[in-house]
Amino acid sequence: MRGIRKAFQSLDVYVPGKPIADLLRDYPSLRPEQVVKLASNESPLGSSPLAIKAARRALAQAHLYPEPTSYDLRRRLGKLHDVPMDGVIVTSGADEALRLAAETVIDAGDFCVISQYAFSRFRQHARLMGAQVIETPARNYGHDFEAMARAAIGKAAKIIFIANPNNPTGTMNTDDELRMFFKDLLAGRPPGKEPWVVLDEAYDDFARDAYGRIYPMSLPQFLKLYPRLIVARTFSKIGGLAGLRVGYAVADPQFILLVHRARLIFNVSSVAQAAALASLDDVRYRRKILNMVKEGRRYLMKNFSKYGLDVVGPSAGNFVFAKVRSGTGLRLYETLLPQGIIIRPIDEPGLERFVRITIGSRSQNRVLLKALRSLGERSVALSEAAV
């Protein structure tokens, strides 16, 4: 089509996990209560009860525009992370934080470094701004920081995107690895010319709970170590607020001041602001989710191998990344849909045989394993019948 930016011609479309409403339309015989969605890493407990109460109260003021800069939430997040509140920007999910970083930093033709198998939105946001994307080979399905630093220095890259833990593979880089990475970047370029680093920590709480001190405490320590760092977080996972779209980014206050110029006016609703603020006080809810994920991770990893799935490492997120022994991830996904089970096939080059499965509640995990067992038994019966 004429008159369209060139970047759009090669821009991939992000395909989210299949919505429950779509599944019910495709399979009218299914009832809503039969559906087990394990595709989008959502909370198996619903939303924080405190957040729901706050959201309901905020609805009474829904006729008014929200506070444009999410002042109260920024102030609370600043105290939580021991950073100036002017160094925090609240966004419509972490995805808007990623996009704003790209829009603020990237000029057409700039080089951007990402890792193979990293979150696909990194590539999309960079290409939208006309960046030349350098993809470095993965190491054990995760980030190879040595390769990424070499590529960034060699090409004088403008920006680097990192997910820790990584989505969809669930791999994690340690505190020591990130510190060495930042030191390599600082040593490889003149002061003030270092690349910007966007560190997406959407699954931070789960990794910290699972790995303790070896998982990086990026805020505020890494901001002091590496001044061109942008840390993105979300309330969608541990906060259980995926449907309200609340995230945030933390960086140098002068940088955040510039980012506000590109932010949409009233980008986060008053209901979402209130719910996010209240969710930070719901320690009981967060602890319950963390315990559920820890128990579910052990359960799924212990049993997946019995039913044709080989787990790739102990995931640091609230999901499990696994390889399908027979067929493709897409085929397994399609086979489970009629039973009301939604998982996430990783239909990307090199990952066609992989799936990402959210760790659900105890009952959801059992439903999934029962379905996988049934598929395995059916496969054996068919092969025996063929003989």
Side-chain angles (χ1 to χ4, degrees), residues 87-340:
V88 181
I89 184 169
V90 176
T91 56
S92 178
D95 191 49
E96 189 193 16
L98 303 177
R99 181 162 180 165
L100 286 170
E103 290 175 339
T104 307
V105 170
I106 298 173
D107 285 308
D110 284 339
F111 285 99
C112 166
V113 175
I114 64 171
S115 175
Q116 182 186 24
Y117 308 144
F119 186 35
S120 63
R121 292 293 279 172
F122 296 162
R123 183 184 298 103
Q124 291 167 334
H125 289 316
R127 285 181 174 167
L128 180 63
M129 299 310 299
Q132 300 182 61
V133 177
I134 304 169
E135 186 176 288
T136 59
R139 177 185 291 174
N140 297 324
Y141 297 99
H143 295 73
D144 183 340
F145 281 157
E146 293 179 7
M148 295 180 78
R150 284 196 303 270
I153 294 168
K155 288 289 189 178
K158 188 78 164 291
I159 190 168
I160 303 169
F161 283 95
I162 296 169
N164 196 40
N166 186 46
N167 174 25
T169 62
T171 55
M172 183 203 76
N173 289 98
T174 67
D175 185 276
D176 288 343
E177 288 171 337
L178 268 165
R179 287 181 185 276
M180 182 58 67
F181 177 65
F182 289 134
K183 288 180 180 178
D184 288 343
L185 294 178
L186 289 168
R189 297 281 291 278
K193 297 291 186 180
E194 305 90 358
W196 290 92
V197 174
V198 178
L199 180 59
D200 180 359
E201 294 185 328
Y203 301 93
D204 167 84
D205 301 87
F206 304 105
R208 193 174 311 285
D209 184 64
Y211 289 93
R213 292 184 179 181
I214 69 169
Y215 180 76
M217 181 68 77
S218 60
L219 296 173
Q221 285 89 333
F222 286 169
L223 283 176
K224 299 173 183 178
L225 173 64
Y226 195 80
R228 292 199 168 196
L229 176 64
I230 306 158
V231 178
R233 300 272 181 91
T234 182
F235 285 88
S236 295
K237 310 305 179 185
I238 191 69
L241 301 178
L244 289 181
R245 310 307 302 128
V246 196
Y248 61 99
V250 183
D252 182 283
Q254 291 184 331
F255 176 79
I256 294 297
L257 185 63
L258 295 172
V259 175
H260 275 290
R261 298 180 182 182
R263 175 181 58 82
L264 293 176
I265 303 171
F266 309 119
N267 62 328
V268 179
S269 74
S270 52
V271 173
Q273 290 181 40
L277 192 59
S279 75
L280 293 174
D281 292 323
D282 206 337
V283 177
R284 181 180 179 183
Y285 170 84
R286 288 170 174 252
R287 187 69 257 168
K288 194 173 180 180
I289 285 186
L290 292 172
N291 289 340
M292 182 177 290
V293 167
K294 186 179 296 183
E295 176 190 332
R297 183 189 292 116
R298 286 196 297 264
Y299 178 66
L300 293 179
M301 291 179 67
K302 176 183 177 182
N303 287 284
F304 271 174
S305 61
K306 300 176 185 177
Y307 308 122
L309 291 174
D310 295 319
V311 175
V312 181
S315 174
N318 64 338
F319 57 88
V320 175
F321 179 66
K323 186 175 183 179
V324 180
R325 286 190 204 136
S326 177
T328 65
L330 184 60
R331 178 57 183 158
L332 177 60
Y333 157 80
E334 291 172 341
T335 304
L336 290 172
L337 286 180
Q339 301 180 59

